[in-house]
Amino acid sequence: MIPDVRGYLRENRMPHILCPGCGHGIVLGALLRAVHALGIPQDRLAVVAGIGCSSRLAGYVDACTLHTTHGRALAFAAGLKLARPELVVIVLTGDGDGLSIGGNHLIHAARRNVDLTCILFNNAVYGMTGGQVAPTTQPGWVASTAPYGHPEPAFDGCALVQGAGGTFVARSMAYDPRGLQAILTEALEHRGFSYVEVLTDCPVYFGRYNRLGEGPELLWSQKARFGEVGQMLRDKRFVTPDGTAPAGRVEGLRFGILHRAERPEFTHVCWSQVRRGGDP
Amino acid sequence: MQTRNVLVVGVGGQGVLLASNVLAAACLARGYDVKKSEVKGMAQRGGAVVSFVRYGERVHSPLVERGRADLVLSLEWAEALRWAAYLRPGGVLAVDLVRILPPAAQLDHRTWQASYPAVEVERLRQAGWDVRPYEASRCAAELGDGRMANVVLLGAVSRELEFTVEEWEQALREVVPEQVVEANLRAFHAGRELPLASVSPGDVRRPAARTFRVEVTASWCKGRSCGICVRVCPEEVLAFGPDDRATAASPDRCTGCQLCQLLCPDFAVVVREEVAVG
């Protein structure tokens, strides 16, 4: 049986503020099950978040939590990890928080290989501020600031972090909570910067603007919208009469653990330097 | 020699095709002509799988007619009953006594009191077949991996077939993935030592009944506008109550898959197994 992980929640703060059908809670559930399976005690677990829907989740986890400024969660988390290396530090960030305003912090945390687990909730939209396009909005999709379809290409967060030097890069989706838990378990066990991008959904903006339905329909369509088999499974609305998917709507994101490497870890390197008293 | 007719049968996932591939490889190792045909459509769903193997000096068709099989190798009891009629009079039915409830018998998921045919070896013997029950799955589990039951049963049957141990080992090395060759060779030799299982009349051995309780914390549930749990439940246990919150309307139907708990974004649904007291 799957364990009941509500003991990791601040139950007096529940229910959480996320909209009905929002996928973020599913991701948090998978994360808490991974934490539970690894037996990480709550006072050794630190959850750091920035600003945005996904970052609100930190406030509901009964652990050491830190709700920080927009985009700077990784900078706070890196400082926390340096000062308290014994903590398991998890960063919850969104596609706007982590890839837009916080994009610099993301690439530098990856470059330094700080021992953090960064979970980036990718719902391809700015949910908290009214459904504007995000850096991960794929071309063609509709948002409140792209009523005729988004004209720009999107970021591939995983490729970005891998290029910047991240040592564990993975992508999963809320549609697959078991697979997500397995990936998060490996990410938490990895020593170094682990980046897990999770596709979730915003029924209120992304789903409504793109006429994809509500929570359940969005969940089921995740595989079709994002997977490599997406073109075949794609909702008929997005298929042209000759049976081909229109250009600009082909995403084909890769899933699973995409990159794994071993490199000196930042906290370890810094503390070794301190212990040597500055001697080389 | 006369062409020999063999059926390897079982449930999807048990390794029916692997077992028949090993047999076919042993035939080739001996220099026989061999033809093979299989029906595996619903294999991944735990459905019936059958593989026909015919070998001899010259084989023209891979299919075996009813009443013509020399040997039926069954990895599951109910599948043995399904395919026994393919045996010729006096044909050998080697069967693993493991029992897997087929989906059609699982309509009553909760109590698992589905009708499953009792193990009545004597009745099959009265029909004129040479029935050899084995505890191959148990033997494989004792060897460390229950998935090797197919090779254990193959080992048990290999004593009756004309191939040498070397030919069987060569066949196993060819067919089985490299990293599990040694384990499978051990399973094969354990099978060669496997005694007939003793079966008491009317032995039923159903899985133990399990019951589950679905708890919904109404104040955490975001109700009809979310609706994920109600839509994902394969047994339609959950429904919307008068307050539009999810509620376990048909708790008796719960099979404990916990999809609702996994996919509830609001931590409102928890499924617990009810443990019988006393």
Side-chain angles (χ1 to χ4, degrees), chain B residues 195-212:
Chain B
L196 283 180
S198 59
V199 184
S200 55
D203 182 0
V204 180
R205 260 193 270 174
R206 286 195 186 104
R210 296 175 74 184
T211 56
F212 301 93

Side-chain angles (χ1 to χ4, degrees), chain B residues 6 49 65 68 83 138 151 166 197 204-205 218 261 274 277:
Chain B
V6 178
V49 181
E65 284 180 85
R68 293 287 185 85
W83 300 101
R138 189 175 296 174
V151 175
E166 289 70 35
V204 180
R205 260 193 270 174
Q261 183 180 343
E274 295 208 310
V277 181

